Amino acid sequence: MMIQVFIDKIGRVMETVILQGFPNSGLDEAAAEAVRKTRFYPAKKRDREIGVWMSIPVNFKLADYVSFCRMPVGRKALHQWAEFDFCLIYK
């Protein structure tokens, strides 16, 4: 999954766009929510903080098989049991 975000000059995520996702699964919404809650160091240009667009890959992993089998059915449960992996891409 790939999310594009706009990070403002104080490090807050202001806008998210799903570039590659899993429609109708709830995973897109969960990933966007997790990224929105993340604080970043602002980008700098000539010693001044600036806002930038950035692409962030997000990988989902289940905690373990036993937890998955005991997981209640529904989209909300999937958000609680998924853990997120962030890798920042700088170009």
Side-chain angles (χ1 to χ4, degrees), residues 3 5 13 16 27-40 56 58 60 82-86:
I3 298 180
V5 299
V13 175
T16 60
L27 297 176
D28 294 353
E29 294 84 3
E33 183 180 335
V35 171
R36 273 189 223 104
K37 291 179 180 179
T38 304
R39 287 291 188 140
F40 294 88
I56 301 175
V58 178
F60 289 91
E83 68 179 59
F84 301 97
D85 238 2
F86 293 101

Side-chain angles (χ1 to χ4, degrees), residues 61-63 67-68 70-72 76-83:
K61 295 185 227 172
L62 292 174
S67 297
F68 177 75
R70 294 180 184 162
M71 181 175 66
K76 191 170 185 180
L78 185 59
H79 298 189
Q80 295 168 356
W81 289 91
E83 68 179 59

Side-chain angles (χ1 to χ4, degrees), residues 12-82:
R12 293 178 303 185
V13 175
M14 300 305 289
E15 196 172 333
T16 60
V17 177
I18 305 295
L19 298 178
Q20 285 180 310
F22 303 101
N24 303 318
S25 66
L27 297 176
D28 294 353
E29 294 84 3
E33 183 180 335
V35 171
R36 273 189 223 104
K37 291 179 180 179
T38 304
R39 287 291 188 140
F40 294 88
Y41 289 105
K44 287 190 174 188
K45 184 176 184 179
R46 296 186 183 156
D47 296 328
R48 294 183 67 198
E49 286 85 9
I50 59 169
V52 293
W53 282 95
M54 182 172 162
S55 296
I56 301 175
V58 178
N59 299 309
F60 289 91
K61 295 185 227 172
L62 292 174
D64 60 28
Y65 182 73
V66 174
S67 297
F68 177 75
C69 292
R70 294 180 184 162
M71 181 175 66
V73 177
R75 224 186 271 178
K76 191 170 185 180
L78 185 59
H79 298 189
Q80 295 168 356
W81 289 91

